[in-house]
Amino acid sequence: MEPSISQRLAQIHARMDEACARCGRDPETVELIAVSKKKPASMIDAAAHAGQQLFGESYVQEFCDKEAEVTEDVRWHFVGALQSNKVKYLRGKVEMIHALDRYSLAREINKQWRKLDKTIDVLIQVNLAGEQSKAGVAPEDVQALVERVAELPHVRVRGLMALPPMAEDPEETRPWFRQLCALAHKLDTLELPGVSMDTLSMGMSHDFEVAIEEGATLIRVGTAIFGAREVDHGA
Ligand SMILES: *Cc1c(COP(=O)(O)O)cnc(C)c1O
């Protein structure tokens, strides 16, 4: 029999705990985001029922439809690529935006959260390998973007996010995770006003343990919780 969502969540938490034990980290410092894109609201409710509180979505329209449908009280992060003209639909509904990679987008986020008189946490997406097909700022340009975003009063930079090149063997991804962590440390030592570098969003279904060993504080796991997705345009 297929394991239930509740069983899969329990397995992932056990693996997270083991990864933390291996590298001497407190399990409380790593949070699991259940990435529910392409999965129905009923599965989100099932996961929430099993104790999962935080969910990640990648597509604005899909998120809005499901957010209205989910009956459990859950928290949302937006983890996908985001167009400025769609930020308004996320206003007040998500607690973090993971893929900030340009100032124009930050300005629009600031404008929308100003209307609420609130502040939203964001992560800067870094394109570590310079992949043409992926969004994200080049590592050498991150500091300049962080400094500009830090001046926006309704946006708070909390750290970095990356989607490193896919590799069959998660060990091949380790150097990328290590690089993201080192970059966050470097930015942290600059003590830029209004910037915290306490959050590292990295690691997915096939490599989250390695990501935890390299310092991830948020892991984004979809398939391992909800099963394979039918269609996926990629985020
Ligand atoms: C879909 C997605 C994930 C989850 O990927 P899985 O391999 O299914 O765990 C994580 N991060 C982002 C940005 C995604 O779009």
Side-chain angles (χ1 to χ4, degrees):
M1 222 174 75
E2 280 269 295
S4 66
I5 287 179
S6 160
Q7 285 167 329
R8 287 182 179 196
L9 281 167
Q11 280 164 7
I12 290 165
H13 278 289
R15 288 166 59 189
M16 289 169 68
D17 288 351
E18 284 163 25
C20 285
R22 276 197 296 279
C23 59
R25 290 186 61 188
D26 176 356
E28 295 283 310
T29 63
V30 188
E31 189 169 16
L32 172 64
I33 305 174
V35 178
S36 47
K37 64 175 182 224
K38 303 284 169 197
K39 297 293 175 182
S42 58
M43 287 179 94
I44 297 170
D45 278 331
H49 214 72
Q52 179 64 30
Q53 296 168 347
L54 179 57
F55 292 84
E57 287 282 338
S58 291
Y59 308 104
V60 173
Q61 182 65 53
E62 182 194 336
F63 163 68
C64 291
D65 292 347
K66 286 180 345 196
E67 192 263 348
E69 237 184 289
V70 165
T71 57
E72 298 286 327
D73 190 18
V74 301
R75 295 151 51 213
W76 299 101
H77 282 193
F78 195 80
V79 301
L82 185 55
Q83 289 169 265
S84 292
N85 62 356
K86 294 192 175 163
V87 173
K88 57 180 178 286
Y89 303 114
L90 302 181
R91 185 178 62 219
K93 294 182 177 169
V94 298
E95 63 178 42
M96 186 179 276
I97 291 174
H98 284 232
L100 181 63
D101 64 354
R102 57 201 189 277
Y103 183 68
S104 57
L105 177 60
R107 231 176 33 186
E108 178 62 23
I109 295 170
N110 186 66
K111 180 179 151 190
Q112 294 301 330
W113 261 262
R114 181 173 57 216
K115 293 181 183 176
L116 302 169
D117 196 23
K118 286 190 176 149
T119 301
I120 168 102
D121 288 335
V122 300
L123 304 177
I124 306 295
Q125 182 176 359
V126 186
N127 190 343
L128 294 166
E131 291 172 281
Q132 292 285 340
S133 62
K134 280 186 192 158
V137 207
E140 61 271 22
D141 297 331
V142 173
Q143 185 182 334
L145 178 61
V146 168
E147 285 174 352
R148 288 186 81 192
V149 175
E151 290 175 8
L152 299 169
H154 298 278
V155 178
R156 190 154 74 114
V157 178
R158 293 295 302 269
L160 306 178
M161 176 268 204
L163 269 167
M166 271 292 195
E168 199 112 318
D169 177 2
E171 282 301 328
E172 282 179 42
T173 316
R174 189 184 292 277
W176 297 118
F177 291 148
R178 194 167 288 178
Q179 203 173 311
L180 191 72
C181 188
L183 183 56
H185 275 300
K186 200 187 102 193
L187 292 166
D188 200 33
T189 59
L190 299 175
E191 295 183 16
L192 301 167
V195 175
S196 355
M197 277 286 151
D198 53 21
T199 306
L200 272 184
S201 167
M202 57 188 198
M204 316 201 296
S205 289
H206 71 295
D207 56 14
F208 69 84
E209 287 145 307
V210 174
I212 289 171
E213 289 169 11
E214 296 301 330
T217 66
L218 290 174
I219 57 170
R220 309 179 308 266
V221 177
T223 312
I225 300 172
F226 299 110
R229 289 176 292 274
E230 298 248 311
V231 249
D232 192 351
H233 333 297

